[in-house]
Amino acid sequence: MPLLLLLLAPLFLRPLGAGGAQTPNATSEGCQIIHPPWEGGIRYRGLTRDQVKAINFLPVDYEIEYVCRGEREVVGPKVRKCLANGSWTDMDTPSRCVNRTPHSERRAVYIGALFPMSGGWPGGQACQPAVEMALEDVNSRRDILPDYELKLIHHDSKCDPGQATKYLYELLYNDPIKIILMPGCSSVSTLVAEAARMWNLIVLSYGSSSPALSNRQRFPTFFRTHPSATLHNPTRVKLFEKWGWKKIATIQQTTEVFTSTLDDLEERVKEAGIEITFRQSFFSDPAVPVKNLKRQDARIIVGLFYETEARKVFCEVYKERLFGKKYVWFLIGWYADNWFKIYDPSINCTVDEMTEAVEGHITTEIVMLNPANTRSISNMTSQEFVEKLTKRLKRHPEETGGFQEAPLAYDAIWALALALNKTSGGGGRSGVRLEDFNYNNQTITDQIYRAMNSSSFEGVSGHVVFDASGSRMAWTLIEQLQGGSYKKIGYYDSTKDDLSWSKTDKWIGGSPPADQTLVIKTFRFLSQKLFISVSVLSSLGIVLAVVCLSFNIYNSHVRYIQNSQPNLNNLTAVGCSLALAAVFPLGLDGYHIGRNQFPFVCQARLWLLGLGFSLGYGSMFTKIWWVHTVFTKKEEKKEWRKTLEPWKLYATVGLLVGMDVLTLAIWQIVDPLHRTIETFAKEEPKEDIDVSILPQLEHCSSRKMNTWLGIFYGYKGLLLLLGIFLAYETKSVSTEKINDHRAVGMAIYNVAVLCLITAPVTMILSSQQDAAFAFASLAIVFSSYITLVVLFVPKMRRLITRGEWQSEAQDTMKTGSSTNNNEEEKSRLLEKENRELEKIIAEKEERVSELRHQLQSRQQLRSRRHPPTPPDPSGGLPRGPPEPPDRLSCDGSRVHLLYK
């Protein structure tokens, strides 16, 4: 026995079922042998007659074929296949052998079709041959419309509604009557479907994807074997979620099909938490929209346009460099496979440039060819259909428009034939006469509509079934252009939310790009070298302030120190220390402290600077204010000069400090300082990576920062200006009670100038952390250093060089009484005044000698011109100029000339 029989031996153990039964018993071991139809037989592939007699069951996936005797032909399925559940395929449809009807006796039923052979979508190039092939297959079947023959009348619509209007008029007003209309692209289908309702015509489209055509109120008789374009959107959203994209951009051609598709996509992505950040459209020239996409940094871009416009778009994409590892384009999948290589005179890009621009893009397309490659109702597999269609085409499939949609056009004829067959009663039921149809016969139209609406069969494009809106339900194919050719990377069933992924996707950058430039937030921190350098200077300044304070306290018993109001100088040293200490929190930022500690650092800056200024500058301002108040009045303040009450000075300083404390406390309570972030323009890194640097800078700020600064700087600025004025007014005043007021004035000059310059400069440079810190901190350091040096170093020098370390009590013990001490002090003052007067007298004597010399010169000149006069006989003195003075007398500051 042949080897095949041995392989089938395990299935031969069961007895033969009921004789003549068409439906076999289900079994897990295979399918029971069935009997042939009357006047017919069964061809068992690979088995002889004797082998068939020896078995009762056939294995799973085994196929049998019906044959008829003589002039008869099979009506119904010609091939049945054994399924895994033990049943044969299509057992609900009986197979019969009937006499052939001559074609001359069959009545013609006409179909009016519009095929776009050119235009935005030249789908008619492949769809028309597919329709003609379907008509041949249907008309050759005696079990479908045995009394009728389908015939085609067609025109080239060029995918243009205006052109379609002309041909629609010819189809409707010229005989014969058409029982159905078959338009192609969406724009033409919209026109035809709106008019068809007025003519009681069913419209069946094979290439329309516009979501607007799903409107049953507007298009009540419309069906399509091409699913709605909205069927792409669930797949797109699924892919967005798979790759973690939350921001997308879109560009569309301005037509109804793409506008309605994009509206549906916008609703779906919104539900999924995805944002359409940028939406562009164009009518014919996509140059500006593509530039806008580049300007807006679009990365994930959904493009909706016809094939001819797609070439224009990607030519502009190449020019703008909107492709590569940073970008992903989502396109419609029903373009020709080599659409980007087709010559197009409307663009100025080469094939290589176009190939480079489109590399890596993703397409989503309805599954238009059954991937299972099982036999359809036409007894052809999808692969056999492709081979048969390819032979009928005049060009290579990749260069033929609509090749991918051809299975849909083929199945559209079968859907129509089955619906007409059901309407006419070809299935064994009483039906209507299709030849009685006219444009006023709504009854036949309604029956065709119901039959079409209930269609369900296996076509070469897969399972054909229509939803309530007349649109085809189907899977979605996901492809990616890899190396210039499309590769399948997955399927998606939106009805079950089932994504079948093949893991064959490839990316130029090695992985899916980000949906936007990855923004890395980086803080601009203060230069640590600058911070450390200024901190060292500040620390040394604090040490200097402590030394000065210690010196002043230690020598507070010395009369020279006592006459400088040492307590005020002590406050100045403390104020300088606080101001210098403010440099440390001024330089602290996120590099050193956490976010929670930042408000405390902000308050420390404010309080240290505020109190340091009030104590340091306030004590100096108090001195200069008192000197000006007392010594610039000539008469009414003479009694004040004799005595100085220190408590008034301390009260003035206390008032200034109290004003600062009150202001700072109110500020802190009402509107406290907190951490704010200043964001700068994005910066591109030097490396070629898909990231962008977003610099940020931390600030201490409050809600009404400008108001508080205006108040604070306002009265501080007035104090500085007033201090400069008082220092100028008192520069020539000399007083024993405050013997260092000139040094105080010099310190006020320096502090005021530095503060008045630094405050506005630091506000302007607030966005430049290093410059702002350098200006502010160095102004604090220098003003503090100058103040300490000017006020304390001269005192140290005097006490060291002159040895004036005695206190007032020590001086009393040496002289025996305080009176002698006062006399000594007066004597010292008189000696000083004598030295000053001697200097003045010397200057006057020099001047007098010059005058004498001039007088003598003039006298000699006169004597030469006028000889001397003889003596007067009367004994009087000779005439002439008076003799020069020979003695000079000083009285106070006045100089008198005495004559002989």
Side-chain angles (χ1 to χ4, degrees):
M1 185 174 290
L3 179 60
L4 179 61
L5 188 59
L6 291 175
L7 295 174
L8 298 176
L11 304 176
F12 300 162
L13 302 176
R14 291 188 177 272
L16 180 66
Q22 286 278 354
T23 303
N25 295 329
T27 173
S28 61
E29 299 179 359
C31 298
Q32 188 176 5
I33 290 181
I34 56 179
H35 292 279
W38 182 259
E39 295 294 331
I42 296 178
R43 181 179 292 117
Y44 295 92
R45 300 177 181 179
L47 296 177
T48 64
R49 185 188 299 270
D50 295 336
Q51 291 171 344
V52 172
K53 290 180 180 179
I55 60 176
N56 295 327
F57 290 85
L58 293 172
V60 176
D61 292 334
Y62 188 81
E63 291 184 350
I64 61 173
E65 181 181 1
Y66 291 116
V67 293
C68 294
R69 299 187 180 93
E71 297 297 324
R72 297 177 178 271
E73 61 183 356
V74 178
V75 175
K78 294 184 64 177
V79 176
R80 297 188 189 275
K81 184 177 182 180
C82 179
L83 302 177
N85 60 3
S87 64
W88 296 94
T89 56
D90 300 323
M91 290 305 295
D92 56 339
T93 304
S95 298
R96 297 177 296 151
C97 290
V98 298
N99 293 324
R100 292 180 179 172
T101 302
H103 284 275
S104 58
E105 299 179 6
R106 301 170 68 180
R107 294 177 290 277
V109 175
Y110 292 94
I111 302 170
L114 296 173
F115 294 106
M117 308 304 290
S118 59
W121 176 65
Q125 296 175 6
C127 289
Q128 180 179 337
V131 167
E132 293 172 348
M133 189 168 66
L135 289 174
E136 295 174 2
D137 294 341
V138 167
N139 289 332
S140 65
R141 290 278 294 266
R142 302 313 313 144
D143 56 330
I144 300 175
L145 296 174
D147 300 326
Y148 299 94
E149 180 180 4
L150 298 179
K151 293 187 177 182
L152 182 68
I153 300 176
H154 61 89
H155 298 283
D156 178 12
S157 68
K158 298 181 180 178
C159 206
D160 178 21
Q163 191 80 8
T165 302
K166 171 187 174 183
Y167 292 127
L168 177 62
Y169 181 89
E170 294 181 5
L171 289 173
L172 294 176
Y173 284 95
N174 295 337
D175 289 333
I177 293 176
K178 289 76 181 177
I179 199 170
I180 197 169
L181 297 177
M182 291 185 63
C185 53
S186 296
S187 57
V188 173
S189 295
T190 301
L191 170 71
V192 173
E194 278 190 310
R197 62 187 301 179
M198 308 302 298
W199 299 82
N200 292 316
L201 281 169
I202 299 294
V203 179
L204 178 60
S205 176
Y206 53 87
S208 301
S209 60
S210 173
L213 292 168
S214 298
N215 188 342
R216 266 288 178 244
Q217 294 181 347
R218 184 180 174 189
F219 311 107
T221 62
F222 180 77
F223 292 89
R224 52 182 166 185
T225 54
H226 194 300
S228 171
T230 57
L231 202 60
H232 296 259
N233 291 337
T235 307
R236 291 173 179 138
V237 174
K238 189 69 177 180
L239 294 177
F240 298 157
E241 293 176 340
K242 173 180 174 59
W243 288 316
W245 294 328
K246 293 296 181 182
K247 294 186 177 183
I248 63 172
T250 62
I251 178 172
Q252 64 157 117
Q253 185 180 353
T254 309
T255 59
E256 184 181 26
V257 55
F258 301 129
T259 301
S260 53
T261 301
L262 196 53
D263 291 340
D264 178 78
L265 177 63
E266 193 166 8
E267 294 179 2
R268 292 179 184 271
V269 297
K270 187 176 181 180
E271 294 175 358
I274 301 171
E275 178 186 3
I276 296 181
T277 58
F278 202 59
R279 184 170 175 172
Q280 286 287 290
S281 61
F282 65 94
F283 183 74
S284 60
D285 185 8
V288 175
V290 171
K291 289 181 181 179
N292 292 337
L293 290 175
K294 179 71 173 181
R295 188 181 305 113
Q296 294 295 324
D297 193 31
R299 298 302 182 90
I300 313 303
I301 308 170
V302 178
L304 301 176
F305 27 72
Y306 286 115
E307 181 178 320
T308 53
E309 277 66 29
R311 285 188 282 269
K312 297 179 183 179
V313 169
F314 275 88
C315 185
E316 297 299 326
V317 166
Y318 179 82
K319 296 175 183 178
E320 297 296 329
R321 311 302 296 177
L322 202 63
F323 63 92
K325 63 180 181 180
K326 296 181 181 180
Y327 305 94
V328 177
W329 282 83
F330 281 79
L331 302 182
I332 303 169
W334 37 255
Y335 302 158
D337 286 347
N338 66 335
W339 62 271
F340 52 91
K341 297 180 181 179
I342 298 175
Y343 171 75
D344 191 338
S346 63
I347 64 174
N348 57 353
C349 292
T350 65
V351 173
D352 292 338
E353 292 173 344
M354 292 291 290
T355 303
E356 183 181 1
V358 301
E359 179 64 24
H361 76 263
I362 306 294
T363 64
T364 55
E365 178 50 28
I366 309 305
V367 176
M368 300 179 184
L369 194 65
N370 190 354
N373 203 33
T374 57
R375 294 198 174 275
S376 64
I377 192 172
S378 63
N379 198 30
M380 276 196 305
T381 65
S382 56
Q383 188 61 38
E384 291 172 349
F385 166 78
V386 171
E387 294 174 356
K388 189 176 180 180
L389 177 63
T390 303
K391 295 178 180 178
R392 301 176 69 105
L393 298 178
K394 299 178 181 179
R395 294 187 295 179
H396 192 274
E398 291 186 356
E399 301 176 356
T400 305
F403 184 78
Q404 293 182 340
E405 292 78 10
L408 304 180
Y410 182 85
D411 286 345
I413 294 297
W414 277 96
L416 171 63
L418 294 175
L420 294 178
N421 185 63
K422 188 179 296 185
T423 302
S424 65
R429 298 178 296 275
S430 59
V432 298
R433 287 165 45 91
L434 297 181
E435 61 268 25
D436 294 338
F437 173 79
N438 57 58
Y439 300 139
N440 296 319
N441 192 334
Q442 188 174 354
T443 302
I444 297 180
T445 302
D446 292 341
Q447 292 192 31
I448 298 174
Y449 176 87
R450 287 192 293 270
M452 186 73 72
N453 205 33
S454 61
S455 296
S456 179
F457 64 93
E458 294 295 330
V460 294
S461 63
H463 188 69
V464 179
V465 63
F466 301 105
D467 62 14
S469 63
S471 297
R472 169 82 176 276
M473 301 296 294
W475 280 40
T476 307
L477 169 65
I478 308 166
E479 292 183 318
Q480 185 181 38
L481 190 69
Q482 300 176 3
S485 61
Y486 287 100
K487 305 294 183 183
K488 297 178 182 178
I489 60 175
Y491 292 92
Y492 180 65
D493 183 2
S494 59
T495 59
K496 299 179 181 179
D497 191 24
D498 179 25
L499 178 63
S500 301
W501 199 249
S502 61
K503 298 182 180 180
T504 57
D505 51 317
K506 294 182 180 179
W507 303 96
I508 298 175
S511 61
D515 57 358
Q516 59 183 335
T517 301
L518 180 60
V519 178
I520 300 178
K521 297 180 180 179
T522 58
F523 283 97
R524 290 180 174 177
F525 295 126
L526 181 65
S527 170
Q528 295 307 298
K529 293 181 180 180
L530 175 62
F531 178 59
I532 294 174
S533 301
V534 178
S535 297
V536 170
L537 290 176
S538 180
S539 301
L540 295 176
I542 294 175
V543 172
L544 176 61
V546 172
V547 170
C548 293
L549 181 62
S550 301
F551 165 81
N552 217 44
I553 294 174
Y554 180 78
N555 295 287
S556 60
H557 60 279
V558 179
R559 176 172 298 280
Y560 182 71
I561 300 298
Q562 290 177 347
N563 289 338
S564 66
Q565 296 298 321
N567 290 331
L568 290 182
N569 289 339
N570 293 342
L571 292 179
T572 300
V574 172
C576 290
S577 299
L578 293 177
L580 289 168
V583 170
F584 300 104
L586 198 64
L588 294 178
D589 50 24
Y591 184 83
H592 305 93
I593 60 175
R595 182 176 181 179
N596 296 331
Q597 289 78 36
F598 212 87
F600 299 102
V601 174
C602 294
Q603 298 296 340
R605 295 178 184 177
L606 185 63
W607 282 91
L608 288 174
L609 277 176
L611 295 179
F613 182 87
S614 299
L615 290 173
Y617 182 81
S619 58
M620 294 190 298
F621 178 82
T622 300
K623 282 186 178 184
I624 210 73
W625 172 268
W626 186 88
V627 172
H628 179 271
T629 302
V630 174
F631 289 93
T632 56
K633 305 296 181 181
K634 297 192 180 228
E635 299 295 338
E636 61 271 17
K637 300 295 182 180
K638 282 185 178 181
E639 294 298 325
W640 288 23
R641 302 178 189 178
K642 298 179 180 180
T643 59
L644 175 61
E645 300 178 357
W647 70 268
K648 293 182 179 180
L649 301 178
Y650 306 149
T652 304
V653 176
L655 178 62
L656 295 176
V657 174
M659 290 177 59
D660 269 0
V661 171
L662 181 62
T663 304
L664 295 177
I666 295 174
W667 186 354
Q668 184 173 1
I669 295 172
V670 175
D671 189 15
L673 291 173
H674 58 275
R675 176 178 179 266
T676 58
I677 303 298
E678 180 184 2
T679 302
F680 299 90
K682 295 179 182 178
E683 300 175 353
E684 297 297 330
K686 296 180 180 179
E687 298 82 6
D688 185 20
I689 55 177
D690 191 18
V691 297
S692 181
I693 306 300
L694 183 64
Q696 292 183 329
L697 184 61
E698 296 171 306
H699 290 288
C700 288
S701 183
S702 58
R703 289 181 291 105
K704 296 182 179 180
M705 187 70 175
N706 293 333
T707 302
W708 293 109
L709 288 179
I711 296 173
F712 207 67
Y713 286 166
Y715 84 85
K716 295 288 185 184
L718 290 177
L719 284 178
L720 292 171
L721 294 175
L722 184 57
I724 294 175
F725 171 76
L726 296 178
Y728 178 78
E729 287 289 314
T730 59
K731 67 180 184 298
S732 60
V733 173
S734 176
T735 175
E736 180 184 351
K737 301 300 181 182
I738 302 179
N739 57 17
D740 61 349
H741 75 279
R742 287 189 178 89
V744 170
M746 184 181 297
I748 286 177
Y749 286 143
N750 288 279
V751 172
V753 170
L754 286 173
C755 290
L756 292 175
I757 293 176
T758 304
V761 169
T762 53
M763 294 183 66
I764 296 173
L765 299 177
S766 61
S767 298
Q768 303 178 30
Q769 71 280 5
D770 290 344
F773 174 76
F775 266 92
S777 60
L778 292 179
I780 295 172
V781 170
F782 288 150
S783 61
S784 299
Y785 269 84
I786 292 172
T787 300
L788 293 172
V789 170
V790 169
L791 287 184
F792 292 98
V793 171
K795 295 180 177 63
M796 295 179 183
R797 181 174 176 273
R798 174 162 180 155
L799 266 64
I800 293 173
T801 57
R802 295 192 180 184
E804 299 180 3
W805 303 97
Q806 294 85 5
S807 66
E808 183 176 357
Q810 291 172 334
D811 290 342
T812 303
M813 291 175 62
K814 288 182 178 181
T815 58
S817 66
S818 60
T819 303
N820 294 334
N821 182 60
N822 290 336
E823 291 296 330
E824 183 179 351
E825 181 67 24
K826 289 180 179 179
S827 176
R828 198 162 41 244
L829 292 175
L830 288 174
E831 288 178 359
K832 182 178 180 181
E833 291 179 2
N834 285 336
R835 285 194 296 269
E836 292 177 354
L837 288 173
E838 288 175 357
K839 187 183 295 186
I840 294 173
I841 290 171
E843 292 176 355
K844 297 300 182 181
E845 286 180 349
E846 182 178 357
R847 179 60 178 165
V848 167
S849 63
E850 291 179 358
L851 291 174
R852 281 178 178 176
H853 180 69
Q854 291 177 2
L855 288 174
Q856 291 176 357
S857 298
R858 290 179 180 178
Q859 188 175 7
Q860 292 175 0
L861 181 62
R862 178 176 292 181
S863 62
R864 290 174 183 174
R865 293 179 180 178
H866 305 283
T869 306
D872 191 354
S874 60
L877 295 173
R879 296 179 181 178
E883 294 183 3
D886 60 355
R887 189 160 54 92
L888 185 139
S889 174
C890 296
D891 181 9
S893 60
R894 298 178 181 180
V895 178
H896 302 278
L897 294 176
L898 303 180
Y899 298 89
K900 292 181 179 179

